[in-house]
Amino acid sequence: MTDTNTPPPEGDAIPPELSHCGAVVDKAIEYMLGENLPPMAIASALLGGSLGLLSRTMGREAMQGMLENALHSVQAGELHPDHDHGAG
């Protein structure tokens, strides 16, 4: 999730529109969790919606590159819960 309270590292400024979108998504996730919806269903719906939006707004090569970057982040352990807490 996007942390809008901590400034980004020097030189890695987050565009305001990305920060705003991240905050909206975070609130939607909080709401769905509060409705006791299963995290897997929430994640699947968000991923499906994101892929649908990407497929309507960019070419296949750009979309594939974005997904490969996400896969590399998963493989490198960057998205593991412990990564955010200094472990890993």
Side-chain angles (χ1 to χ4, degrees):
M1 288 186 238
T2 303
D3 181 0
T4 57
N5 297 322
T6 304
E10 194 67 32
D12 290 337
I14 298 172
E17 64 274 8
L18 178 57
S19 181
H20 183 159
C21 291
V24 170
V25 169
D26 285 347
K27 289 295 183 186
I29 291 169
E30 287 176 26
Y31 173 80
M32 289 185 279
L33 289 172
E35 293 290 307
N36 294 318
L37 294 169
M40 185 65 77
I42 296 168
S44 181
L46 290 169
L47 181 58
S50 295
L51 291 172
L53 177 61
L54 290 174
S55 71
R56 292 188 304 271
T57 59
M58 65 175 51
R60 185 164 62 181
E61 292 80 19
M63 189 173 168
Q64 183 175 338
M66 183 178 283
L67 293 170
E68 286 173 352
N69 285 339
L71 179 59
H72 291 300
S73 292
V74 171
Q75 292 169 335
E78 295 172 8
L79 300 177
H80 192 277
D82 291 341
H83 185 268
D84 291 336
H85 302 293

